[in-house]
Structures are given as C-alpha cells and as structure tokens.
Amino acid sequence: MPLWSVLSRTMRGGRADAALALGLFALSATYVLLFLEGRSWQSAYERVPGSGWTLTVIACGALYWRRRRPVTVAVVVGLACAAYYPMTEPDGPILLAFIVALYTVAAEGRTAAAALFGAAALGVMAYGEVTSGINHLRNSGLYLMAGWFVAVVAVGGVAHNRRAYLREYERRLAEAVRTREEEARRRATEERLRIARDLHDVLGHNISLINVQAAAALHGLRRDPSRAESALTAIKATSKDTLRELRATLGVLRQVDEDAPAAGLARLAELTSGASAAGLTVRAVTEGAARPVPAEVDLAAYRIVQESLTNVTRHSAATEATVRVRYAGDAVRVEIDDPGPPRDGASPGSGNGVRGMRERAEALGGELSAGPGPGGGFRVSARLPLS
C-alpha cells in the first residue's frame, strides 16, 4: 500500500493537526539551530532567547485546535508572531504558523475574519518597518507578503466552497437514493393492491356465477336433468375462464401465460354470456364510435362491469341487467343498471366491491358513483378519462 494512502488513513483530524504543529516547530527549530552564523548552541540562544522558544511553542502548538477554534487560534498565533519577531534575530519561519491559521479561518467559512486578520498582520508589519528606523516600505517584501495573504485567504475560501459543494452533493445523492427507495416501495404497494383488486374481481365474479349455476344444477337434478347438464357445462366453462384469468393475473409476478387474452372491453361479450349462463340476462349497449383506449382504462372498465354484474347476481333479485358503454369526448363512460330490488334485505353499495371499483376509477383520474337508479333498482356509473 502506498505511503500516502497509509498516512491519509491514519493522519486525520486531531492526529493530522498534531503532526502539523510538530512539523512546523521542528522546521523552526531546525532553521534556528542549523542555519545561523556559527551554528552553535550559544549563538542560537543569544539570538533566540527562551521567550522566543516559548512563543514558537505557543504559535505551533495552537494549531492543534485550529479546526475547533479557528478564529481563536488565529488570534493566538498572530499575537505570538507579533511578539516573536521584534525580539529575535534573524526572523524564523514561525510566520508559517500564522499562514496556516489564516488559511484555516478562511477554509471554515470565515472569509471576512480571515481578510481582517491578514490586513491587521500587514498593518503590524508595516508599522514595524516604519518604527525600526529603516524604511523598507518601498521594497517588494511587504507587497509580496500581502500577495501571500490574499492567496491564502482565496485558497481557503475555495476549499470551503468545495467542501460545501461536496456535502450538498452527498446530501442530494442520499436524498435521491432515499426517494428512489420510497418510490420503489410505493410502486410495489400499488402493484400489490392492483393484483389484489384483480384477484377479488376475478374470483368474486366467477365464483358467484359458479355458485348460482351449481344451485341450478342441484335443483335440476331432481326436476329437469337437461337443465342440470347445461348448468354443469356452464360451471365447467366458468371455472376454465376463472383459471385462465387467475393465471393471467398472476403472470404479472411470473412471466407465464403471455398469450392469454388481456381483460378489456373487447371481451365484454364473453363477460355478459357468462352472466347469462347463470340466469342473468345482460343487454350490452355501445354508444358513440368505439376507439382504442389505454390498457389501464380498458382493464378498469372491464373490471367495473365484472364486479357490477357479480353484485347483481349476489345481491339483487333482478333477472336482467343493462351494460352501457359510452365513448364521449376525452372519456369513456360505463353504466350498469339492474331494475330489481335487493335480495334478502341486502344493503347494496356498502361492500368492498364498490369501494374497489371507486379506487380503480380514482386511480385513473376518473370518478364512480353507485346508488339507486333513476327508475328504481341500482346503478353503477363510472367516468374514465382516456388521457
């Protein structure tokens, strides 16, 4: 593993700041001890007294807290540098500690404070040049230092903006992942509800027809065997249709029976003939020019008719019903009427079937009403937009 990778993993946060403080102190001490004239300990101590070493330790050691207290650290390091340089000869690299502190203030988003500290440092340096008796203001050193301070503040501001951008990017990425997961869960829930409605409609309708036909077969076995045979034939056909629709519905979960015909208004004749086999005479009427409709609308219209006919066979004493499909403008209307009174004191319109039909219509932006018909009996009316 590369050395830089190892360092980047181990030297983070407080460890990195401690290493930086020790490194700057080592650099300052090396400069003083090795690069002074004579290169002797006595010469080094004469030119950098004990107070100078103390200020060096303060300035470098304060950098350990630079991330937690950037402004306070910048003030401490600046004051230490201001006290260090007038009492030492020659100048050491302790100014690097102030440059690091200045950068940290800007990188933490305190750009105005960093600019103020830089201007104050330049003012102190200019004052020292003037009061030293030798005016060096015309030299390029002060202006070069001003350029360094401006560059350090600018780089710190850029680093702050980049970190803010990365934090915002990570936040938005996490939000996108969370939203995508919620959307997937919502779609899965909607799909489960759709499959549950389809199963309810298929099984409820066909099992109701089988129940009626089975009752007719039992009654015919004693009085009219020919009627029993026709009822049993109808039960066979209805059960076959039930299995086919059930497998087609479950084929959404496992890709099977792809050739099974999709439920829709094109199969309305099959639906009405199945109800007729159960003893319910169904009259189908189409108004307006038939046109292609979206698959979701086509399926919803079919299921509404299917559930309505199921309710007629189960809850109504009527022997006939009318199914009207009207193509008008940007919507298709479906109406199912039966003239008979409720059977055995049933309360039509209060069960799960009507609620499921209404949910189907509203999911497509349509509407559904179920209640007493204008001429008596019961009517289910649905409007399904084509768009």
Side-chain angles (χ1 to χ4, degrees):
M1 182 179 295
L3 179 60
W4 176 254
S5 299
V6 176
L7 292 177
S8 63
R9 293 186 177 211
T10 58
M11 306 298 286
R12 291 182 179 180
R15 293 182 179 180
D17 294 334
L20 177 63
L22 289 175
L24 285 178
F25 177 79
L27 179 64
S28 300
T30 300
Y31 179 85
V32 171
L33 296 177
L34 298 181
F35 295 98
L36 289 175
E37 292 182 4
R39 299 184 181 181
S40 63
W41 289 89
Q42 182 179 1
S43 175
Y45 183 79
E46 290 175 354
R47 298 197 173 193
V48 182
S51 58
W53 289 104
T54 302
L55 291 173
T56 302
V57 172
I58 292 174
C60 295
L63 296 179
Y64 178 77
W65 294 275
R66 68 188 184 95
R67 301 178 194 272
R68 285 168 282 183
R69 297 287 187 271
V71 176
T72 302
V73 169
V75 172
V76 171
V77 175
L79 292 177
C81 291
Y84 174 86
Y85 282 103
M87 69 176 59
T88 60
E89 177 66 30
D91 298 339
I94 188 178
L95 185 63
L96 292 176
F98 179 73
I99 291 177
V100 172
L102 194 65
Y103 166 82
T104 304
V105 173
E108 294 297 326
R110 309 289 185 85
T111 308
L116 179 62
F117 290 153
L122 287 174
V124 172
M125 293 173 64
Y127 177 78
E129 293 287 344
V130 172
T131 56
S132 63
I134 303 176
N135 188 358
H136 297 291
L137 291 179
R138 293 185 179 182
N139 295 336
S140 60
L142 188 63
Y143 303 104
L144 182 62
M145 189 59 63
W148 273 103
F149 286 168
V150 171
V152 167
V153 173
V155 171
V158 170
H160 170 73
N161 292 336
R162 181 177 180 275
R163 285 202 298 267
Y165 170 79
L166 291 177
R167 285 194 298 268
E168 180 65 16
Y169 175 78
E170 292 174 356
R171 186 191 67 80
R172 293 190 178 187
L173 183 61
E175 179 71 14
V177 172
R178 184 184 62 82
T179 304
R180 186 163 57 248
E181 292 175 350
E182 291 179 353
E183 179 68 13
R185 287 194 295 268
R186 183 186 67 81
R187 289 181 178 274
T189 301
E190 291 179 352
E191 186 66 13
R192 286 194 295 268
L193 291 176
R194 187 191 68 80
I195 294 175
R197 284 196 297 263
D198 284 348
L199 292 177
H200 171 272
D201 293 344
V202 171
L203 296 178
H205 174 75
N206 292 313
I207 296 300
S208 296
L209 296 182
I210 291 174
N211 179 63
V212 173
Q213 292 158 355
L218 290 174
H219 182 73
L221 284 175
R222 293 188 297 267
R223 297 185 179 183
D224 188 357
S226 62
R227 289 187 58 189
E229 182 179 356
S230 63
L232 291 174
T233 302
I235 289 175
K236 179 181 178 181
T238 303
S239 61
K240 181 179 180 180
D241 291 340
T242 302
L243 289 175
R244 184 184 60 188
E245 290 200 43
L246 183 60
R247 294 180 68 187
T249 302
L250 295 179
V252 175
L253 301 179
R254 49 178 188 175
Q255 301 299 322
V256 298
D257 294 334
E258 296 181 356
D259 297 332
L265 293 176
R267 295 180 56 195
L268 192 59
E270 298 179 24
L271 188 61
T272 57
S273 64
S276 299
L280 180 66
T281 302
V282 181
R283 185 170 67 96
V285 179
T286 301
E287 300 179 359
R291 70 189 72 169
V293 298
E296 297 85 353
V297 177
D298 200 21
L299 176 61
Y302 179 88
R303 296 302 186 198
I304 289 172
V305 174
Q306 185 181 52
E307 179 63 23
S308 299
L309 294 180
T310 301
N311 290 338
V312 173
T313 59
R314 294 174 59 185
H315 305 303
S316 176
T319 57
E320 62 180 18
T322 302
V323 176
R324 183 175 290 102
V325 179
R326 181 185 302 117
Y327 296 91
D330 59 349
V332 58
R333 291 183 176 274
V334 178
E335 293 180 355
I336 302 92
D337 289 285
D338 76 272
R343 177 184 298 171
D344 300 331
S347 178
S350 60
N352 293 327
V354 172
R355 182 165 60 249
M357 290 189 293
R358 183 173 290 111
E359 290 176 354
R360 282 186 181 276
E362 293 176 350
L364 297 174
E367 55 189 1
L368 182 140
S369 61
F378 196 78
R379 166 178 285 185
V380 174
S381 178
R383 176 187 175 278
L384 304 175
L386 297 179
S387 59

